[in-house]
Amino acid sequence: MKFKGRSIISIRDMDKASLLKIINTAEEVKKGKHKNCLKGKVISTLFFEPSTRTKFSFESATQYMGGEVIGFAGSEYTSVKKGESLADTIKTISGYCDVIVIRHPIEGAARLASEVTSVPVINAGDGANQHPTQTFLDLFTINELVSDLSRIKVGFLGDLKYGRTVHSLAYALALFKTPLCFISPKLLRMPVDLLDEISEMGSKTKEYEELEELEEKLDILYVTRIQKERFGDLQEYERVAGCYRLTPQIVHTLGENIKIMHPLPRVNEIAPDVDTMENAIYFEQAHNGIPVRQGILGLITGTIA
Amino acid sequence: MKAYKVYAINDGTVIDHIPATRALKVIDILSLENEGILTIGIGFSSEKLGKKDIIKIENKYLEKEETDKISLIAPGATINIIKGGKLTEKRKIERPEEYINIVKCLNPNCITQHADIETRFKVAKTSPFTLRCHYCERSVEAGEVEIL
Ligand SMILES: [Zn+2]
């Protein structure tokens, strides 16, 4: 699988070999290999909707590797304000940089961007659709803990209906045939068609409504936020959100070795006193965004083979 | 002798076995409005379908890639190519791998609803027949699609 010049738009464009290549490259970067490999390269970060964490993560990844960053966030880019089309903006910026990182509130915007330019495009989030580098860093974090992605059990907790990170990570793990458990309120279950697809890919799946019903030991529990906006009834929201809140006691009952992941930002779904437990790895997970994004940038610019 | 209610053509394409009332939609999808003489029959009785529509297009031989575009609304249609009064080719509709600018994406937050671009759908699953938007990646079952 050739990465040079390739756009990174969706987890659906990936196969197992590409994911392993990304994981291995990030490992090398984390160990100190490929230093300054972005020297002389310019990365643009076009954030049509603000996401400070993601933008910083791409920018510091670039700068640590000796590259330069240009970009904008929100509607501060004057041509966009004047009504310039996305395609025109992308074609123009393409002359100024070696990689375009785009975040856009409209689904499919990054795919369209990649079709109007020869500069590789990285999708840093297109509405509710995809955010592939988040999935890569999640996968990388899990892979750091285990020797074989197919021999662990991963659980997902919270909003599994709208959670983009959950959908993409579950899909990626299904490429490794990892057994998966989904724990959510009825209202926020995994979409049925995705669940079917994942099973067909070879992952054993199981659904639960409560953590207490869980019959098996998990290696990883991936927690997501339940958003108030998803509920018509505030009382119902508070009841449900309360049931899916992780405390040190609950973590203990889940098993000594379980690791807790979360895409962050976290609100109430994980009690702050879980943070100091050895089980909590969500901050390391976020920090892994740097070597993973560095690896990707190196691969698609061709400075890492 | 079989009495034709729609007169026979000497040269051209006959699309038969279109589910009743979908003939106009077929014309729309194939952009046949300005393609010369068209004869449209709606609501004929059919052994297979109960009722069916027929379209005859004079002096135009539709290619397979073109007629496959109607597979979502008339999957059982048959295509007859007539040259010099003789039936020279008879074929069925097959489903293409990709539907370009045929189906509308129903996701209001899809880029195809915000930018002036062609829609693209790929076959995601054959049973039930499901398409997936190339851009926003939402899937839609064939029975729920909206034709552009
Ligand atoms: Zn779409």
Side-chain angles (χ1 to χ4, degrees):
Chain A
M1 179 77 52
K2 200 174 134 268
F3 273 98
K4 189 180 174 181
R6 181 173 160 190
S7 290
I8 307 293
I9 305 299
S10 167
I11 199 72
R12 289 186 177 278
D13 302 334
M14 296 287 152
D15 56 15
K16 197 172 150 179
S18 329
L19 291 175
L20 286 171
K21 175 73 181 168
I22 291 167
I23 289 172
N24 292 337
T25 307
E27 246 162 36
E28 291 171 5
V29 171
K30 204 172 173 178
K31 283 180 188 148
K33 224 179 141 187
H34 309 300
K35 279 214 158 55
N36 285 320
C37 76
L38 294 177
K39 204 167 166 44
K41 301 285 180 194
V42 177
I43 311 301
S44 66
T45 53
L46 314 187
F47 277 54
F48 292 86
E49 89 183 340
S51 171
T52 314
R53 274 177 337 120
T54 306
K55 191 164 182 285
F56 281 175
S57 176
F58 273 105
E59 291 177 350
S60 80
T62 304
Q63 285 164 353
Y64 275 133
M65 286 228 151
E68 301 287 329
V69 177
I70 58 168
F72 62 82
S75 55
E76 66 192 36
Y77 182 56
T78 49
S79 302
V80 172
K81 253 193 255 170
K82 286 175 190 156
E84 185 181 56
S85 75
L86 174 64
D88 282 4
T89 303
I90 298 297
K91 285 181 203 162
T92 308
I93 306 266
S94 295
Y96 312 154
C97 60
D98 300 287
V99 174
I100 291 174
V101 177
I102 178 176
R103 184 169 181 112
H104 202 289
I106 304 291
E107 288 138 34
R111 177 77 68 192
L112 174 62
S114 73
E115 289 171 346
V116 298
T117 178
S118 56
V119 170
V121 172
I122 298 177
N123 183 5
D126 61 329
N129 186 30
Q130 292 276 334
H131 185 8
T133 58
Q134 173 73 45
T135 310
F136 302 156
L137 76 89
D138 289 342
L139 206 59
F140 175 76
T141 303
I142 297 172
N143 190 70
E144 272 191 316
L145 302 167
V146 299
S147 54
D148 184 349
L149 285 170
S150 65
R151 304 189 71 126
I152 50 162
K153 203 165 269 180
V154 179
F156 291 90
L157 178 76
D159 177 356
L160 309 186
K161 183 172 182 188
Y162 300 99
R164 162 181 79 183
T165 49
V166 170
H167 299 168
S168 295
L169 180 58
Y171 182 94
L173 288 167
L175 288 171
F176 294 87
K177 306 190 193 305
T178 310
L180 305 171
C181 293
F182 300 98
I183 310 127
S184 71
K186 250 203 187 89
L187 191 68
L188 299 175
R189 279 180 57 190
M190 274 287 275
V192 175
D193 56 338
L194 183 58
L195 211 51
D196 287 349
E197 192 177 6
I198 285 168
S199 313
E200 276 163 32
M201 289 163 76
S203 275
K204 281 208 176 75
T205 65
K206 209 157 177 194
E207 287 187 277
Y208 298 95
E209 259 184 66
E210 315 266 347
L211 259 180
E212 293 79 66
E213 294 169 14
L214 206 67
E215 294 152 352
E216 46 220 311
K217 281 267 175 279
L218 298 175
D219 298 283
I220 309 274
L221 182 64
Y222 196 100
V223 183
T224 62
R225 184 150 56 104
I226 293 180
Q227 286 174 295
K228 220 181 268 178
E229 303 87 277
R230 308 291 179 212
F231 290 82
D233 179 354
L234 195 67
Q235 265 187 326
E236 174 69 3
Y237 159 73
E238 277 164 3
R239 191 190 66 75
V240 168
C243 291
Y244 292 84
R245 183 176 152 85
L246 223 55
T247 60
Q249 290 72 20
I250 297 173
V251 175
H252 278 305
T253 61
L254 290 173
E256 207 183 320
N257 296 319
I258 191 167
K259 300 292 183 201
I260 310 296
M261 293 175 69
H262 191 294
L264 303 181
R266 163 252 325 246
V267 185
N268 290 320
E269 57 279 11
I270 302 178
D273 38 358
V274 173
D275 297 2
T276 50
M277 300 175 79
E278 292 225 337
N279 311 76
I281 57 165
Y282 26 90
F283 292 111
E284 286 150 83
Q285 177 190 352
H287 297 161
N288 278 337
I290 300 294
V292 167
R293 291 182 172 116
Q294 286 173 325
I296 290 286
L297 288 168
L299 285 170
I300 66 175
T301 53
T303 56
I304 301 178
Chain B
M1 206 188 99
K2 202 169 169 184
Y4 277 98
K5 290 194 180 121
V6 178
Y7 77 97
I9 59 172
N10 243 336
D11 292 280
T13 308
V14 177
I15 308 178
D16 200 352
H17 301 110
I18 300 167
T21 74
R22 295 208 178 145
L24 297 174
K25 199 83 224 182
V26 168
I27 288 166
D28 198 30
I29 290 173
L30 298 178
S31 322
L32 297 171
E33 304 88 344
N34 302 312
E35 292 288 340
I37 298 173
L38 284 183
T39 312
I40 305 163
I42 293 181
F44 285 18
S45 53
S46 155
E47 274 177 38
K48 260 203 296 187
L49 300 169
K51 277 191 185 303
K52 68 170 184 182
D53 292 357
I54 300 178
I55 302 168
K56 302 195 179 192
I57 308 127
E58 282 192 50
N59 301 318
K60 187 172 170 70
Y61 310 110
L62 290 177
E63 300 288 336
K64 188 177 177 314
E65 300 90 78
E66 292 177 87
T67 51
D68 280 351
K69 286 186 186 174
I70 64 171
S71 64
L72 286 174
I73 61 156
T78 47
I79 310 296
N80 301 286
I81 305 291
I82 296 164
K83 289 181 179 168
K86 285 205 174 78
L87 180 67
T88 58
E89 190 189 343
K90 192 175 178 83
R91 60 173 194 258
K92 289 195 156 53
I93 302 281
E94 277 176 36
R95 282 173 162 154
E97 279 174 25
E98 194 173 21
Y99 293 81
I100 295 170
N101 233 18
I102 294 171
V103 176
K104 182 183 172 187
C105 185
L106 297 175
N107 172 10
N109 202 36
C110 176
I111 189 76
T112 58
Q113 302 239 19
H114 296 263
D116 188 18
I117 51 170
E118 291 183 324
T119 68
R120 284 173 67 185
F121 281 79
K122 287 204 174 85
V123 177
K125 215 164 38 166
T126 48
S127 158
F129 191 70
T130 307
L131 298 176
R132 187 186 308 284
C133 175
H134 168 71
Y135 291 99
C136 73
E137 304 187 16
R138 297 266 180 104
S139 58
V140 57
E141 280 186 28
E144 293 159 359
V145 299
E146 202 170 298
I147 307 285
L148 272 173

